[in-house]
Amino acid sequence: MKKAALFLSALLLAGCSNPRPPECDCTTSQPPTSEPVTDNKKAINALFSYLAKEAIKQWGEDDYVESSKHRFVKYLDGYQTRAHIDFEAGKIYVSTVSQYQPMDKLQKAIVQTVLMPADPKYAEQFTDKEIQLTGKPFFLGQIVDQEGKSIEWEWRANRYASYLISNKLQSKKIKKGTAYYVEIDMVKDHLEQREYQYAHYVRDASKRYNIPEDLIYAVIKTESSFNPYAVSHAGAYGLMQVIPKTAGADVFNLVKKKPGIPTKEYLFDPANNIDTGTAYLHILKTRYLRDVKNASSKHFSMISAYNGGTGGVLATFHPDRKQAMVELNRHSPRQVYDALTTKHPKGEARRYLQKVLYFQKDFKEGNI
């Protein structure tokens, strides 16, 4: 209990360590009307369904794998070959079920995977198109070859692929035939390597919206494990998993003062994504939750609202929104934390607050 109390104390201090930011110029909460708000969730699920249908033809239902917030899956070669990147575990699996020249297909897929560019538009995850190798590889520094050297050029990637196939090849019997695959371990500090890639974007967004850097990092780690290709069935995109028609629309309308909603291409850009996600945290803090009086209680509430919405936070305390705010302010910060992590209507939101605060404490201690 003593350890838990010390941990909570650190979290409370984290919530109070920054001065109150200036109020944003948020004069309306109405969605933009100059262009239609599309049903992004429906559209993204249609893409997931199409991908599943095509990939299952080759792999079967039991061995089909799809992308998620912390996982990127790219199918190639008529959906017979794929790269599966687990950003949390730091593992990459490159596999093929092709019965025609499978080693050639595997070799090519390994090369495309280790040299994959950082911009998601060059690695279309809902088609089987080849990955376009352009610019600096995203995994540079996160993957090393058999000699312990980073892989930046195609000749080195090909040599590494040949080594893996000759020395690390595995096979597995599946319903559709035989799958050949190799496993690639990322370096131990792969997460830190990705953090460094986005440090300047986080720093700029923190200054722009007066949101602590450690909180931005913690949200990114919770949402995507620093996976810039992240996409979910909820229609959220990128590092901070921004949903265009909700958080994205709010940022465009209330902060950017521009009509419409951000496109998926806009949100897949790391700079735009971090800016938008941080701006939404600013909106939560200075607009939707501005009446929360205690700084730590507000900190807990805005983190919870980033995942489960402001309505979910208020519903934790009372069905009526106005009365909910009164009840929330009657609670101590510790009681607010306990309520949001045990009584929030959504289980995911309860766990979300715990995760973000845990990661924020870690980043605050200098692990950035």
Side-chain angles (χ1 to χ4, degrees):
M1 289 298 293
K2 184 177 180 181
K3 184 176 180 181
L6 288 172
F7 177 61
L8 180 61
S9 177
L11 298 182
L12 295 178
L13 288 173
C16 303
S17 60
N18 286 276
R20 181 175 181 177
E23 295 290 330
C24 66
D25 181 16
C26 304
T27 57
T28 176
S29 60
Q30 297 299 314
T33 56
S34 59
E35 66 181 62
V37 176
T38 59
D39 190 343
N40 182 69
K41 183 177 179 179
K42 184 177 180 180
I44 200 70
N45 277 290
L47 288 173
F48 271 116
S49 295
Y50 174 80
L51 178 65
K53 182 182 72 172
E54 296 301 315
I56 287 171
K57 289 177 185 177
Q58 306 300 330
W59 294 82
E61 290 188 8
D62 292 344
D63 292 281
Y64 167 65
V65 183
E66 70 178 18
S67 294
S68 65
K69 291 168 41 168
H70 301 271
R71 180 175 65 208
F72 176 76
V73 181
K74 168 61 179 168
Y75 286 89
L76 301 158
D77 181 37
Y79 301 93
Q80 296 181 96
T81 304
R82 74 180 177 213
H84 168 194
I85 301 157
D86 186 330
F87 283 91
E88 282 188 304
K91 285 271 194 180
I92 298 174
Y93 308 89
V94 185
S95 319
T96 187
V97 291
S98 175
Q99 302 307 301
Y100 175 71
Q101 297 182 329
M103 296 306 106
D104 290 345
K105 303 292 177 61
L106 202 56
Q107 171 99 13
K108 188 173 183 179
I110 294 170
V111 171
Q112 290 189 45
T113 302
V114 300
L115 295 180
M116 187 165 64
D119 190 335
K121 73 182 179 184
Y122 295 115
E124 299 178 33
Q125 60 185 296
F126 293 109
T127 74
D128 67 333
K129 291 181 180 178
E130 290 188 3
I131 298 170
Q132 298 180 51
L133 305 184
T134 180
K136 183 178 177 181
F138 173 73
F139 288 110
L140 186 64
Q142 299 177 61
I143 302 172
V144 294
D145 66 9
Q146 69 275 19
E147 297 176 348
K149 295 182 179 179
S150 293
I151 305 168
E152 185 172 4
W153 311 109
E154 197 163 345
W155 66 268
R156 185 176 289 279
N158 266 299
R159 192 173 71 172
Y160 181 49
S162 297
Y163 166 81
L164 290 172
I165 292 171
S166 297
N167 297 275
K168 304 292 183 179
L169 182 67
Q170 300 183 61
S171 63
K172 175 186 175 183
K173 289 291 183 182
I174 64 174
K175 289 183 178 180
K176 291 289 186 176
T178 301
Y180 299 95
Y181 67 98
V182 297
E183 296 182 21
I184 301 172
D185 289 313
M186 297 186 202
V187 297
K188 288 184 178 180
D189 65 342
H190 64 94
L191 183 63
E192 288 79 6
Q193 292 278 350
R194 294 197 295 281
E195 291 164 13
Y196 295 144
Q197 290 191 36
Y198 307 117
H200 55 302
Y201 298 139
V202 171
R203 183 173 56 251
D204 290 347
S206 173
K207 292 178 180 178
R208 189 176 301 122
Y209 301 112
N210 203 8
I211 297 295
E213 287 187 33
D214 50 36
L215 175 57
I216 303 171
Y217 277 113
V219 169
I220 296 174
K221 184 173 181 178
T222 304
E223 291 288 352
S224 68
S225 293
F226 294 84
N227 167 17
Y229 315 98
V231 62
S232 75
H233 281 277
Y237 296 104
L239 294 162
M240 296 186 76
Q241 285 293 277
V242 178
I243 297 178
K245 66 181 294 185
T246 54
D250 273 358
V251 171
F252 266 29
N253 184 35
L254 303 176
V255 178
K256 303 297 183 182
K257 299 301 180 183
K258 58 195 296 185
I261 63 175
T263 63
K264 68 177 186 296
E265 290 78 17
Y266 180 92
L267 292 175
F268 270 137
D269 180 275
N272 292 336
N273 192 281
I274 292 172
D275 175 85
T276 306
T278 307
Y280 186 61
L281 286 170
H282 173 75
I283 290 172
L284 291 171
K285 187 175 185 178
T286 63
R287 180 181 175 83
Y288 297 147
L289 296 166
R290 64 186 174 193
D291 292 331
V292 179
K293 295 177 181 178
N294 182 277
S296 292
S297 295
K298 180 179 290 189
H299 188 70
F300 301 150
S301 298
M302 64 187 277
I303 292 171
S304 183
Y306 190 89
N307 175 263
T310 306
V313 170
L314 296 177
T316 302
F317 298 93
H318 198 278
D320 179 78
R321 293 174 72 94
K322 289 185 178 180
Q323 186 60 34
M325 187 61 71
V326 173
E327 294 298 324
L328 193 161
N329 282 321
R330 285 177 179 169
H331 285 60
S332 69
R334 175 65 196 239
Q335 290 172 326
V336 170
Y337 172 81
D338 287 345
L340 290 173
T341 54
T342 62
K343 299 178 181 178
H344 192 288
K346 297 180 180 179
E348 180 185 350
R350 294 194 290 269
R351 296 185 294 272
Y352 186 84
L353 176 58
Q354 293 172 322
K355 288 180 181 178
V356 172
L357 289 173
Y358 179 81
F359 291 145
Q360 186 181 7
K361 180 175 178 287
D362 192 42
F363 284 117
K364 186 180 286 293
E365 291 176 349
N367 297 325
I368 299 177

